[in-house]
Amino acid sequence: MHDPLRTKAKVVFYTAVAFFIGLGVASGFGWTESSLAMPVVEEAAQVNPEAVRPARDLSEAFVNIAEVVTPAVVRVEARRPITRMSRGQVPEQFRRFFEPEPDPRTPQGPNGSQWAGGSGFVFSSDGYILTNNHVVEGADAVRIAFSDRRVVEATVVGTDPFTDVAVVKVEMDEPLPTLSFGNSDELSVGEWILAVGNPGFSGGGGELDYTVTAGIVSARGRGLQLIQRELQGEFGVNSELPGYAIEDFIQTDAVINPGNSGGPMVDIEGRVVGINSAIASTTGFYQGYGFAIPINLARRVMEDLVEYGSVRRPRLGVQITDVEPEDAEVYELPNVSGVLVQNVPEDGPAADAGLEAEDVIVAIDGEPVTYVGQLQGRVAMYRPGDRVEVTVYRDGQPRDFTIRLGEAPLDEAAPSPAARTEAAEERLGIFVSDLDADLAEEMGFQDAEGAVITQVVRGSAANRRGLIPGDRILEINDSQIASAADVRTALADVEAGEVVRFLVERGDASSRVVNVRVPTN
């Protein structure tokens, strides 16, 4: 018969025997009570100081850079209508990292406006500040927040949407701390850099004043078509002006998040080598890819903005694309490098000098040119009227041409921020472009004619009445619409409070009438 008590006694007995046997073995090995005691800190193994000296030196360098740089980094705040948004068709995976949505807790200004912004940095002790164009674009007021918590009204000196660079200025009684410029042409892939910003917005733990993150230069010469797409939305997809966009971004893995747009990217010596401008992300937050405008390009633009209030951009007078392997084979190039000339307008400087379509540009003034953004960046360093030597491959042989640069017609074409903000279609909350083949295919139309709504501002009058991106506008108030220009003409005399009748068509060939009242503020 099973006896539970006897079974438990056996278990206790054998456990005790095993314990004493184990204790004896441990004693034989010298595992005594004193030896089992935890060592004090002084007895623990120490890392060889010489082995970690390089890391310690790098850490101290980062600390020194942060101490020197952050006093000159400022918060740039811009006031604009809540419905204000870019006209461009920026791909969702590329995000500008200023505050994407105004904080609903922020008090509204006149006409339903609200404050948002990014970062900037002081480059002149008398109050000149560099930032991104998209941080201040369309603003009716700008203010600067300094490290000592002072907030000062600022004026916009000039903006350049073609490079996404802007200059603002504050009037101060004392000299301001400044940053020095480095040379972005000398950056190497793998080189350490720091991204600095002043987000200034409220987070879960309070105010986020300054952020300093470290990383390396991951790549150079990134052409994201980011500015290009925004300009296509601004001036129309068929306009030649988007071709003047210069995109030669520095890519980095330094962590960059909302509010850092316009802040400096600095090298290991604390010199500015770029201006933080965009991230590649599917969430709107950092996912490993940050991009900055090279400071050599930004500095050249800045000089014109300070001197003239606008940029005098030189014009070479060619339409170009990057060279691909097939091009290198056809044109007998020594390697897959250079810029292929697709077209040479007859009234341009390049045509006057003798350049032809299918020439391959490989150098400017003896400096190699390997891709479109690099060519645009090199030409941008000159001024209209300068002469440059352009080396091209033609019939498998290099040839040199001397070209006197013209001036790109940017100032006359670019509408002022105030004009864009007051446009009737923007007050309604729609942005319109001419319908081309790409948009027609994307939106399901069988033909590429007329004007199409490319964006509708969330919460706007148009959004509330049911207009959506992809609506092709057929009529406005009984006026026939054949282009984006017709839309602006039809809305030119519309007053606040009036109702606008839209007849629109969608990709499934269905049409509908939408009546929208123009907001009164």
Side-chain angles (χ1 to χ4, degrees):
M1 176 180 247
H2 176 66
D3 185 351
L5 183 58
R6 178 177 295 179
T7 300
K8 291 179 181 180
K10 288 182 179 180
V11 171
V12 172
F13 173 75
Y14 288 124
T15 300
V17 171
F19 171 77
F20 285 111
I21 292 174
L23 183 61
V25 171
S27 299
F29 281 104
W31 296 344
T32 62
E33 181 179 352
S34 60
S35 67
L36 290 174
M38 291 295 293
V40 296
V41 173
E42 289 76 13
E43 296 174 345
Q46 298 292 316
V47 176
N48 183 352
E50 293 302 317
V52 298
R53 185 175 300 279
R56 187 183 301 279
D57 290 344
L58 181 62
S59 177
E60 290 178 356
F62 288 164
V63 171
N64 292 334
I65 293 170
E67 290 177 349
V68 170
V69 170
T70 52
V73 178
V74 299
R75 168 76 172 166
V76 181
E77 298 180 339
R79 188 181 68 192
R80 55 173 62 88
I82 291 177
T83 58
R84 174 68 173 85
M85 67 182 294
S86 170
R87 293 173 186 259
Q89 304 163 54
V90 180
E92 272 299 299
Q93 67 268 30
F94 292 108
R95 309 293 183 102
R96 299 297 197 185
F97 39 86
F98 55 98
E99 294 170 24
E101 296 288 344
D103 188 336
R105 297 169 296 179
T106 303
Q108 293 187 13
N111 301 321
S113 60
Q114 199 161 29
W115 292 92
S119 300
F121 62 93
V122 182
F123 65 87
S124 175
S125 61
D126 56 351
Y128 285 97
I129 295 166
L130 261 176
T131 185
N132 285 138
N133 171 72
H134 73 262
V135 171
V136 298
E137 183 184 19
D140 55 22
V142 177
R143 64 192 182 194
I144 303 298
F146 291 92
S147 57
D148 58 5
R149 303 284 182 172
R150 285 180 300 173
V151 177
V152 180
E153 297 297 320
T155 57
V156 177
V157 175
T159 62
D160 180 38
F162 299 93
T163 55
D164 196 26
V165 173
V167 175
V168 301
K169 190 176 189 301
V170 293
E171 299 296 334
M172 305 293 286
D173 295 331
E174 70 282 350
L176 295 173
T178 64
L179 298 184
S180 60
F181 294 113
N183 187 345
S184 53
D185 287 343
E186 295 180 352
L187 280 177
S188 300
V189 174
E191 181 174 342
W192 279 104
I193 57 87
L194 273 69
V196 187
N198 188 352
F201 58 80
S202 297
E207 293 294 318
L208 301 179
D209 286 340
Y210 288 97
T211 61
V212 179
T213 57
I216 62 170
V217 175
S218 304
R220 294 180 54 191
R222 293 300 198 203
L224 309 178
Q225 296 296 302
L226 184 60
I227 300 175
Q228 176 85 3
R229 288 174 182 266
E230 289 187 347
L231 292 175
Q232 284 179 336
E234 192 72 50
F235 298 107
V237 293
N238 296 321
S239 169
E240 67 174 8
L241 291 172
Y244 293 114
I246 301 177
E247 302 197 42
D248 192 19
F249 290 107
I250 302 165
Q251 181 181 327
T252 179
D253 65 348
V255 176
I256 301 172
N257 274 319
N260 289 284
S261 198
M265 171 187 285
V266 300
D267 63 16
I268 201 67
E269 297 179 16
R271 301 171 303 184
V272 181
V273 292
I275 302 177
N276 305 328
S277 185
I279 57 175
S281 171
T282 57
T283 65
F285 292 91
Y286 174 81
Q287 290 185 316
Y289 305 94
F291 301 94
I293 303 163
I295 198 59
N296 287 10
L297 172 61
R299 187 174 183 179
R300 167 69 183 83
V301 171
M302 173 268 292
E303 291 170 351
D304 269 8
L305 293 178
V306 171
E307 186 172 355
Y308 306 111
S310 61
V311 179
R312 298 182 62 222
R313 176 144 303 125
R315 179 187 178 218
L316 190 60
V318 291
Q319 296 177 359
I320 51 180
T321 58
D322 287 323
V323 164
E324 301 295 341
E326 296 82 357
D327 303 321
E329 181 177 336
V330 169
Y331 301 117
E332 303 177 46
L333 304 180
N335 48 55
V336 184
S337 177
V339 176
L340 177 61
V341 177
Q342 296 284 3
N343 186 34
V344 183
E346 294 180 358
D347 60 347
D352 293 340
L355 258 65
E356 299 176 357
E358 298 190 87
D359 284 342
V360 178
I361 300 174
V362 295
I364 297 288
D365 279 344
E367 292 292 327
V369 170
T370 59
Y371 54 90
V372 167
Q374 188 178 44
L375 171 63
Q376 292 175 320
R378 292 207 190 284
V379 171
M381 301 306 292
Y382 296 90
R383 294 184 181 273
D386 288 348
R387 296 182 183 275
V388 297
E389 185 176 88
V390 179
T391 302
V392 306
Y393 260 79
R394 181 185 295 177
D395 300 325
Q397 299 295 324
R399 297 184 58 178
D400 292 329
F401 294 86
T402 300
I403 300 178
R404 187 175 185 271
L405 298 173
E407 184 168 359
L410 303 183
D411 295 339
E412 297 81 4
S416 67
R420 289 197 298 270
T421 302
E422 293 301 321
E425 68 267 27
E426 186 159 341
R427 284 185 285 145
L428 290 169
I430 61 173
F431 299 118
V432 180
S433 291
D434 290 318
L435 187 62
D436 65 0
D438 291 338
L439 284 174
E441 180 179 358
E442 178 184 341
M443 296 176 175
F445 292 106
Q446 299 301 312
D447 59 86
E449 298 178 355
V452 66
I453 297 175
T454 55
Q455 292 187 15
V456 177
V457 178
R458 186 173 59 187
S460 65
N463 177 236
R464 291 194 299 271
R465 293 295 298 142
L467 288 175
I468 62 173
D471 280 345
R472 174 159 53 181
I473 302 175
L474 305 178
E475 296 179 6
I476 294 180
N477 289 343
D478 297 323
S479 295
Q480 299 294 314
I481 301 299
S483 67
D486 288 347
V487 174
R488 296 181 182 105
T489 299
L491 295 175
D493 297 326
V494 172
E495 300 291 339
E498 291 186 18
V499 175
V500 180
R501 174 186 175 273
F502 289 87
L503 176 61
V504 298
E505 178 187 26
R506 295 183 178 166
D508 59 2
S510 64
S511 60
R512 59 180 301 189
V513 173
V514 180
N515 297 308
V516 185
R517 188 180 301 279
V518 180
T520 56
N521 53 34

